[in-house]
Every structure is written in C-alpha cells, then in structure tokens.
Amino acid sequence: MAEQQEFTFQTEIKQLLNILSHSLYQNREIAIRELISNASDSLNKLRHIQLSESQYRDDVPLEIVLEPDKEAKVLVIRDTGLGLTHDELVQNLGTIAHSGSKEFLRNIAATGDGAKPDLSLIGQFGVGFYSAFMLAEKVEVITRSYREEKGWRWESDGTGRFTISAVEGDVPRGAQIRLHLKDDMEEFTEPTRLKFIIRKYSTFVPHPIKLDGETLNEQKPIWVEPKSQVTEEQYNGFYQWLTHHSEEKPLWHLHLSSDSPIQFHSILYCPPSNFELMGFGQIQHGVNLCAKRVLVQDDSQDLLPEYLRFLYGVVDSADLPLNVSRETLQDHKLLPKLKKVLTKKVLDHLSDLSEEQPETFKTFIAQFSSILRTGIATDFENRERIAKLMRFHSTFSATESTLVSGGLDDKAPAPSVSLDEYLKRAPEGQSQIYYLSGPNLDAMQKSPHLEIFRKRNLEVLFLEDPIDEYALIQLRSYNGKEVMSIDGADIKFPESTNPTDEVEAKETPKNFTRVVELFRGALDSKVAEVKESSRLTDSPCCLINPRSHMSGRLQQVLGQSMREFEQTKHVMELNPQSNLITRLCELSNNSDNDEFIRDCGRQLFANAQILDGLIPDVEDTTGRTLRFMEDLARSKSAIVV
Ligand code: ADP
C-alpha cells in the first residue's frame, strides 16, 4: 500500500463543500457540465503545449470519455489532457486561487438555509470542480501529468479533508474523475440521461465526448461559419457554454469575419446583466483567443479594452502562429491590431443598436454604461465614439416626459438624451454643450443656474454621477462644441437667444452697493467676489465657479479624494430684483441691521452651496438658522384674539 498523505481543505472550500453536499439544489446535472468543462480546458492546454513543444507530442487522441457503472454506482469522467502533478493536486484541488470565488461563496452562503441558492453559476467563479460533491459521496481523481511518469490518486469524501497517494503501475496521461454516487444519484449512470445532459450543456466542447464508443457532441466551431448558416439556437447554445449559464440568453451578439488587413473570425456576446452592479466585484475579461480553431489563451486581457471587459466570446485568427507560447503572446504584434479592430466594431455595433433596437440598447446602457464611460478617459482614439453612446437626463427630457415636478427620482425614466440629439435641438450659434451637475434630479430642477437657460430656452444636461461629469470633462468637446458646466463663468449664449423686446431695464435698488459691501465683509474668506448678477430672474443669488470646465461639485469631490487638488473660490452673484435682496437694500438704511444683513449673506451662501450639491459649514449653518427661528418665534404672539 502506497503511503498516504492527508491534507485539510482551505476554510472557504470547506464551507463550499458543506453547502454543495447538503444543498437540495435541483439542477445537479450542472456538475457534469463543470467536470467536462475542466476536462476540455485541460485538453486545450495540452494541445497548445504539444504544438509549441514537440517533445510532448504523441498519438493519444484528445478526448473525453464517460464510463458509467450502474452496479458499482460509479461514474468516471476521463480525459487525456494535461493531468496533475502531486503539487498541483494539493494546490488546485485544495485551495481557491480565483478572486471572484470568495464572493460567490459569500453570496450563496447569504441566501440562507431555507432558500435555494443559485449554484448554476459555480463554474464562472472557478470552483466548478467541487460541484462533484453534489452527486458523489466520495470523489477520486486518478491522474498523471504530461511531465511525469508517475501517477497520483486524490480522494475525498467532501467533509474537510483529502488524501493523496502514489499509484502503483501505469496511469494513462490526463485525469479521471471517479464519482462514487450518492444513493439517490443513480440516474447519472443511465446512458440516456448522460446523453441528454451532454447535448444540453456541452455541444460546443471542442473535443469529442464519448460514451460507449459514440461521440455525443457536435464540436462545431460556429464562429468560422457564415452568419447565415448559424441559427439563433446555436448562438445561444454557444453563449451558454462559454458562460456556464444554462438558462440565460445574451442581450446581443456580434458575429465578425474579416480577411484583411487581419484575418479573423469572432463572435462576441453581451450578457443581459452587469455582475458588477450586483456587487460581485470587477468582471474579468471573458474572450478566448484561438489560432485556427485551437485555443491559445482563454479569458484574454489583450483583445478588448478594460471598458469592454464584460463581453464574452471567441476570436480566432489564422494570422496567429499555432505554436505561439503564452509568454510571447503578449508581445505579439497581432494583438494590438486585433484589439483596435474589435473595439471599433463593437462601438459601431452599439451605435447601430441604438438606432435599430432602441429597447435593447436601453437595457444595455442601464447595465453597462458605468463601465463603458470609463473609456472616455482612457481611450483617446475612441472617446467621441463612446461619448456618442452615453445617455443623459436633461431639461428637455424632464419636461417632455411624464415627470413634471416632484418625485422625479423615484420613477425617473432611464436617461435618454444623447449628445447628438442634444446638438440637433440646439439653436444656431450655440457653441457649448451646457450641463449641470447636482446630487439628484429634483435638486437640479430647482437650481438657480437654470433660470437664464430656461429664459433663453436652452437645453441643459443633468449629471447626477460625478463620474459622468468627469468623463465629459475628459472629452472636452464633442463635434467641436465645448462641454461646459453652467455654474461656470465662461458661459457663452447663442446670440439668437438674446432677448429681442428689450424689457425696460429695472432699476437697481438704492443701497444695493451697501448690501454687496456687507456681504463681502461677511464672506470675505469664502468667496472670490460678490457682485450683481445678469443671469438670475427669480432666485436671490447663485454661485459662479471661475473654473468653467469643471463644476464646483466635482471640484469638491476631487478635493475630498486628492489632497493636492485645489478648489477655486466661487463668485457670489446677487439678484437685486429678488424680494429678499430688495428688502435688505431698504433695511440697510439703518446700520443697526448690518449684522442681520451679514447673516443673511452667510445663509444665502450656504443655501446656494446646498443647491449646487456642495456641503456648507454645518455647525455655522445650523446655528444660524436656529437663531433666525428663535427671533421669529419671539416676534409671534401667544395670545389668541
Ligand atoms: P477552474 O476550472 O475554473 O479553475 P475548478 O474548481 O473547476 O476551477 O478547477 C480547479 C483547478 O483544478 C483547475 O484550474 C485545474 O488546474 C485543475 N483541474 C480540474 N479538473 C482538471 C482536469 N480534468 N485535468 C487537469 N486539471 C484539472
């Protein structure tokens, strides 16, 4: 008897095994899918090694074989792939290396005992092997690595420990997973049941899957077929195989073929939802690179930019040498070229989608725009293309749609205004794209900055998320029009919107300069200047930000996260015609009122900050409003007349 070494599983795996072996999860057949997927990965890797390193070539067929034994209640899944060494067994079948898997665990553990967690995603998180314990009370892995003569046996009953021992005698290269099935799992020794499972989940495995000498899968590389020859069902099936997601259909797919300047075939898929929005951490790239149908690199990070990392698929190029090694692949000249073409094709496709299938596009934007927009800051060449796909709320969409006033945010429809549409509506001579940044749509609707734009009937985009503003700032201009925050000093109005019927200019109230002086004194260190406004119609004041290309709000956000970022001081503009300012001008006749007028200046400043989504000095502001209320309360009478 060979010596047996005992190991303990990593804590997270113990938890996972506990969940898997006790779960009442219905869809246990996915375990077969996962084990076949592992076998296929292993065969892919071996094929690649054999192509680049001739000493490992032989004529053992690359295949997966299922061997059910009804009497013994054992199902064997055997492959002629890479196999595992002793250390690889310890590492790969004892610890979790993938970053996403812990999140998967947390997620299924949080579902609680009563509810059935969705285990079908297990393969996406790099822990698919352990699903074997949904079917088996004991799992054996008998394996020999392609680099070794000697074979090993890994064994576990899934309760926390596993053993490894050397196998006497010959072991064929590759791995065989022996599932000692649980009592109620006998169906997995029925050939008809197994055939059904393979056809359902594993048609696209690129190696033959055999049972009783019969090959069960088609292994058809649909991406090299002409589009017209591929059915919707095949597209969906391939997506499901790639994503290990048997129920889901992709939101859209893009099938590309090109002969020059680079030869390639590709199918790219967009999933229907964004994992990142569900709190699963960053999505990893999911596009496989093939050379003449042979997998060279899975989940390649070099084929698409980060901001398209959510796409799945395959890219197959005959221009890539089959024997390119993983190490030299990164430096291969072809990859940046492929990346460039693919990126452009995807962005063009999205643009077409926005016109041809607006509903699908809407879903896409709702799910993925948070990832996509980061491309504006990182991909100089394509930034206008990406900006074209962004959608915003605006003063136009807010009045056009059902949302009139109040409750805007609860039921706000998805942002729908594109920059192109915005510019189409812009009057002649408008040289800037106006936007307002604010904490939410309700607050932005009430912003005093909008008054002049409403008066001149100019559309303003609403940006709730500072990241959207950041993206627009990186863009600087779109179609030659400068992107401009409307709290900025450099706003240019199109001449065509200048008021024609010159309303008789209202006289500035007497003592206005006195009020300005008092405000200046009160806000000395806080504002750059206090002056009369030409923009306001109703509100008493607003804050103008001298650095026009970035709203005061974004400056505050950046100021909080970057020490060295310097915020500019605002200019406070006053509307002398507003009720409050007119009254303060009258009161300023009496110098006893000076302190009250100064306090009004401080409070107006705080109010304007809040409206702009800025945080005023909290202690100062609350203290002062309390004093105002106390004064008012004192002036009221308790006597009922
Ligand atoms: P993943 O396959 O996503 O990495 P798994 O839990 O399914 O996660 O498998 C863990 C690791 O075990 C794999 O990465 C691989 O290194 C190894 N492995 C699993 N099955 C096989 C197999 N049939 N042949 C060789 N190695 C395997």
Side-chain angles (χ1 to χ4, degrees), residues 16 34-43 45 77-79 81-84 88-89 91-95 98 122-131 141 143 174-177 244:
L16 177 66
E34 293 306 323
L35 295 174
I36 286 183
S37 169
N38 282 350
S40 168
D41 287 348
S42 169
L43 289 163
K45 287 177 195 156
I77 299 176
R78 200 157 54 74
D79 66 68
L82 283 178
L84 295 111
E88 284 166 349
L89 281 171
Q91 267 304 312
N92 301 347
L93 304 184
T95 54
H98 305 258
I122 189 164
Q124 285 186 352
F125 293 95
V127 286
F129 170 76
Y130 304 98
S131 60
V141 180
T143 178
Q176 49 170 297
I177 318 293
H244 298 248

Side-chain angles (χ1 to χ4, degrees), residues 67-76 178-181 189:
E67 287 166 353
D69 181 338
K70 201 168 172 169
E71 244 149 69
K73 286 202 293 174
V74 170
L75 172 65
V76 178
R178 301 181 68 86
L179 305 172
H180 297 264
L181 298 168
T189 57

Side-chain angles (χ1 to χ4, degrees), residues 354-424:
S354 71
E355 279 160 31
E356 290 154 19
Q357 295 178 48
E359 282 307 309
T360 307
F361 182 74
K362 217 158 123 186
T363 312
F364 171 80
I365 284 297
Q367 291 294 325
F368 296 102
S369 70
S370 58
I371 304 182
L372 186 72
R373 68 185 172 190
T374 61
I376 295 182
T378 52
D379 187 350
F380 189 80
E381 206 182 313
N382 288 306
R383 56 176 51 162
E384 285 229 353
R385 272 203 187 84
I386 303 167
K388 193 184 170 67
L389 301 170
M390 287 181 71
R391 295 293 181 267
F392 307 91
H393 287 290
S394 80
T395 44
F396 181 86
S397 67
T399 46
E400 268 302 279
S401 55
T402 49
L403 30 119
V404 201
S405 63
L408 202 58
D409 287 298
D410 304 341
K411 289 189 202 72
S416 62
V417 178
S418 69
L419 292 175
D420 288 326
E421 210 183 303
Y422 174 92
L423 289 178
K424 221 184 279 166

